[in-house]
Amino acid sequence: MTNKTRYAVAVETAIDKLHEEGRYRTFIDIEREQGNFPHAVWRKPDGTRKDITVWCGNDYLGMGQHPVVLAAMHEALEATGAGSGGTRNISGTTVYHKRLEAELADLHQKEAALVFTSAYIANDATLSTLPKLLPGLIIYSDELNHASMIEGVRRNGGAKRIFRHNDVEHLRELLAADDPDAPKLIAFESIYSMDGDFGPIEAICDLADEFDALTYIDEVHAVGMYGPRGAGVAERDGLMGRLDIINGTLAKAYGVMGGYIAASAKMCDAIRSYAPGFIFTTSLPPAVAAGAAASVRHLKTDQARRDKQQLHAKILKMRLKGMGLPIIDHGSHIVPVIVGDPVHCKQLSDMLLEDFGIYVQPINFPTVPRGTERLRFTPSPVHEPEMLDGLVRAMDSLWSHCALIRAELTA
Ligand SMILES: Cc1ncc(COP(=O)(O)O)c(C=O)c1O
């Protein structure tokens, strides 16, 4: 066998393995329709089209279709054209980027904010750069932190300690075991998106005070949706001022694209100056920055949208629970239904789509642990009651059809 053949066989074997384990990922081809979210059209592989309702999107509040956002994007597009034309350093900083950063700094009540092309990059770039700024830094990272944080911590070459998920006692043990004079940072999330559970923000801030550590919070699944101005769970709980670095996305509840950190002016300046993931990549298109800024601004006051999302999540959870479906309920907007098997999970998802026009992607390992494969629903303020009815009826009938166990609550 030539080397080239060997490479091809190795690649094919890797794909076959996923098929065998029932966790090969299939992307479905969706056409969103302007102003009509969560309705969309599925372009099937055979060329036909089917109307569907999206139940698994992270456009949590439907802002990706909001007239205020679209108007801002159109305006910037007409004014400036398509791309930014460069990195932030070399011709890619525009008035739109500056305005967005000012909007975000105000949102989180920090001195400054720094925008990246995604929250993935913001996490990776910031966490991998911090040890350059703070030699000897030890990062304490929750074991269920998002891949972007894990990657940033892994690549930074500094020391790391992984604490058991949300286990502040374990975190304390780890902090206490290290040199009291070593610089420290605790990295965690406010909402873990697969179970929808909350991080213990206050307890972690208390530990950070006690051990003189910095705090880094990922509020990606909370910004726009929690707190009186949508700044996240830390704002809701009156803890924003105790967090040193806040990470958020502009691609989920804000409905556009991009990510950021908000922190002190000096911290943002240092990351701006040292992080390759910020320096060596083209900045967001101005129209995207304008749309994101409009969305952030709008959600500072649109509490009704947040309330409606929470109400819809509550109703869906109550109704699924009422039918004995094994849902996880931590009181957030995320509604995971545990199927517990990758093949069943995919089958359910396929049948929901084909037979009921309900689109929910199966979530399998490695996104979640094996045995906890699930359907993860994200009801939004724009999912109408009849859509909710349709979803509940479909789940009821398929659960019976597949003879799946109806369980008590899992949390
Ligand atoms: C917790 C968490 N952080 C960061 C990200 C990355 O966000 P973005 O899509 O803006 O890259 C995600 C994406 O799903 C996430 O779940």
Side-chain angles (χ1 to χ4, degrees), residues 83-88 117 278-284:
S84 78
T87 63
R88 284 292 294 271
T117 43
F278 179 84
I279 299 169
F280 297 108
T281 187
T282 302
S283 62
L284 287 178

Side-chain angles (χ1 to χ4, degrees), residues 58 117-121 123 146 148-149 189 191 193 218 220-221 247-252 258-259:
N58 280 341
T117 43
S118 73
Y120 186 105
I121 300 293
N123 272 334
H146 187 255
S148 52
M149 289 209 256
E189 299 182 22
I191 297 185
S193 69
D218 173 317
V220 159
H221 292 277
N247 164 280
T249 186
L250 302 164
K252 299 187 195 290

Side-chain angles (χ1 to χ4, degrees), residues 130-140 158-161 175 178-186 208 211-215:
L130 282 168
K132 289 187 209 164
L133 309 173
L134 302 162
L137 179 70
I138 305 172
I139 298 188
Y140 301 79
K160 67 170 180 203
R161 314 274 183 259
L175 286 160
D178 282 321
D179 176 359
D181 292 331
K184 300 180 176 70
L185 177 138
I186 307 169
F211 290 91
D212 219 3
L214 293 169
T215 46

Side-chain angles (χ1 to χ4, degrees), residues 149-374:
M149 289 209 256
I150 294 172
E151 197 57 27
V153 173
R154 194 180 66 75
R155 283 194 314 103
N156 71 19
K160 67 170 180 203
R161 314 274 183 259
I162 310 300
F163 60 94
R164 287 190 293 275
H165 178 53
N166 278 354
D167 186 340
V168 283
E169 276 317 305
H170 188 215
L171 174 59
R172 165 186 286 284
E173 280 168 30
L174 294 172
L175 286 160
D178 282 321
D179 176 359
D181 292 331
K184 300 180 176 70
L185 177 138
I186 307 169
F188 65 110
E189 299 182 22
S190 64
I191 297 185
Y192 291 84
S193 69
M194 289 302 139
D195 280 3
D197 58 329
F198 293 87
I201 306 177
E202 187 165 21
I204 288 181
C205 289
D206 289 346
L207 277 181
D209 287 348
E210 190 180 332
F211 290 91
D212 219 3
L214 293 169
T215 46
Y216 183 103
I217 191 167
D218 173 317
E219 289 251 37
V220 159
H221 292 277
V223 286
M225 295 173 281
Y226 294 81
R229 294 203 312 155
V233 182
E235 185 196 28
R236 182 196 71 182
D237 296 350
L239 297 167
M240 214 154 51
R242 297 185 67 189
L243 294 154
D244 296 294
I245 304 176
I246 298 175
N247 164 280
T249 186
L250 302 164
K252 299 187 195 290
Y254 291 122
V256 190
M257 181 81 197
Y260 63 91
I261 57 163
S264 69
K266 287 261 186 303
M267 178 63 80
C268 288
D269 195 21
I271 298 294
R272 181 187 75 86
S273 309
Y274 282 92
F278 179 84
I279 299 169
F280 297 108
T281 187
T282 302
S283 62
L284 287 178
V288 169
S295 188
V296 173
R297 198 175 316 119
H298 178 86
L299 284 176
K300 283 178 181 170
T301 55
D302 192 351
Q303 185 58 35
R305 193 168 279 260
R306 281 189 276 279
D307 290 344
K308 208 164 171 193
Q309 179 200 29
Q310 291 294 331
L311 178 68
H312 288 179
K314 250 189 207 126
I315 294 172
L316 180 60
K317 283 190 254 189
M318 207 172 62
R319 294 191 61 185
L320 293 175
K321 262 189 222 178
M323 300 185 323
L325 264 56
I327 75 158
I328 302 180
D329 183 7
H330 289 285
S332 72
H333 60 285
I334 294 165
V335 185
V337 177
I338 301 295
V339 181
D341 172 273
V343 178
H344 279 148
C345 199
K346 171 94 173 65
Q347 262 171 4
L348 270 178
S349 156
D350 287 347
M351 286 189 287
L352 281 168
L353 187 64
E354 272 293 350
D355 304 342
F356 298 92
I358 289 170
Y359 174 44
V360 58
Q361 192 70 23
I363 311 264
N364 290 338
F365 178 82
T367 311
V368 295
R370 289 182 209 274
T372 71
E373 290 80 6
R374 65 196 65 184

Side-chain angles (χ1 to χ4, degrees), residues 13-46:
T13 308
I15 294 170
D16 288 348
K17 184 166 178 271
L18 297 178
H19 280 293
E20 277 158 27
E21 291 178 12
R23 57 188 188 90
Y24 178 77
R25 291 171 193 235
T26 313
F27 296 168
I28 82 159
D29 188 356
I30 291 177
E31 255 179 44
R32 280 160 67 101
E33 289 173 37
Q34 196 201 122
N36 207 15
F37 182 75
H39 293 293
V41 172
W42 171 32
R43 285 168 166 271
K44 294 185 174 194
D46 65 7

Side-chain angles (χ1 to χ4, degrees), residues 51-88:
D51 288 335
I52 59 167
T53 308
V54 178
W55 276 100
C56 59
N58 280 341
D59 184 355
Y60 289 125
L61 296 174
M63 290 304 287
Q65 304 290 335
H66 198 287
V68 164
V69 176
L70 299 190
M73 293 187 77
H74 280 298
E75 212 175 283
L77 186 68
E78 292 305 320
T80 74
S84 78
T87 63
R88 284 292 294 271

